Amino acid sequence: MTTHAILKMGDPRLLEVSKPVLINLISSNEIQLLIDELLETMYSANGAGLAAPQIGVDKQVVVFGFDRNPRYPDAEAVPETILINPIITPLSDTQEEDWEGCLSVPGIRAKVPRYTKIRYQGYDRNGGMIDRTVEGFHARVVQHECDHLIGKLYPMRVKDFSNFGFTEVLFPEFGDGPPAE
Ligand code: NI
């Protein structure tokens, strides 16, 4: 099993805009290995998602998904998804604030405004098209992960810093384990 160190906020590589993957290279060893390493790193860190820039790779690849995440006990399950070259289209003007964390911002949680309903499109690991319309936490996770591909970390989206703090203080019931994205 190959897991990677996850870059933390402050590393300039997290602020770069990632490059699209050439479609005929999705099946290459390089991209397939990247996908496997993203999945393994996400699961070993108990994350809800992970983006390639977080392991220092400036390519438009994100992974996300979980059945039940102990860090988000109220969140509905999200299917395991590998998403390459994503495009997000908001389907409502409404944004809603809710709690997020990030494996690149360990120990912190904040309420972040996100579109409540989106369509997202992209490629899966076999080069097949993904085209989904989703709401709620699923929509939130996709927006969070795709933000990594344009060099945005969730603290840059926070509007109200009275809802920004240490996980152990905000949610003492979670203990001091690694916070998930
Ligand atoms: Ni993140």
Side-chain angles (χ1 to χ4, degrees):
M1 179 156 136
T2 309
T3 61
H4 273 268
I6 297 172
L7 304 186
K8 291 182 187 169
M9 190 168 66
D11 191 306
R13 288 173 286 180
L14 290 170
L15 303 178
E16 288 175 12
V17 176
S18 297
K19 298 177 182 68
V21 177
L22 292 173
I23 306 310
N24 59 355
L25 291 185
I26 290 175
S27 61
S28 68
N29 285 342
E30 181 194 4
I31 298 300
Q32 294 296 314
L33 189 65
L34 169 63
I35 291 166
D36 289 338
E37 291 179 356
L38 282 169
L39 288 169
E40 287 167 10
T41 303
M42 174 181 81
Y43 286 125
S44 76
N46 202 25
L50 192 66
Q54 293 180 275
I55 60 169
V57 178
D58 67 339
K59 294 188 188 308
Q60 292 182 15
V61 182
V62 302
V63 300
F64 53 86
F66 55 88
D67 288 329
R68 291 276 298 165
N69 191 308
R71 302 281 156 201
Y72 294 94
D74 300 327
E76 74 270 27
V78 175
E80 182 187 284
T81 303
I82 293 112
L83 185 62
I84 301 166
N85 298 353
I87 296 170
I88 293 180
T89 310
L91 294 180
S92 94
D93 295 331
T94 316
Q95 291 203 351
E96 204 169 74
E97 294 204 328
D98 209 346
W99 294 102
E100 291 184 24
C102 180
L103 295 170
S104 293
V105 193
I108 302 283
R109 288 291 180 102
K111 279 195 169 180
V112 185
R114 301 287 187 189
Y115 292 107
T116 52
K117 188 174 182 182
I118 61 164
R119 176 186 183 186
Y120 68 93
Q121 297 159 281
Y123 295 93
D124 65 22
R125 72 179 303 161
N126 302 312
M129 292 292 300
I130 293 173
D131 188 343
R132 293 179 183 154
T133 296
V134 299
E135 302 178 70
F137 194 71
H138 191 155
R140 176 170 296 279
V141 168
V142 174
Q143 289 169 87
H144 176 118
E145 296 312 326
C146 293
D147 258 1
H148 280 294
L149 304 180
I150 56 169
K152 288 241 184 258
L153 297 163
Y154 81 79
M156 302 172 183
R157 300 281 190 199
V158 171
K159 296 278 193 284
D160 177 1
F161 278 89
S162 63
N163 290 312
F164 185 103
F166 291 99
T167 311
E168 67 197 44
V169 178
L170 290 164
F171 301 105
E173 67 274 20
F174 288 176
D176 56 4
E181 310 219 341

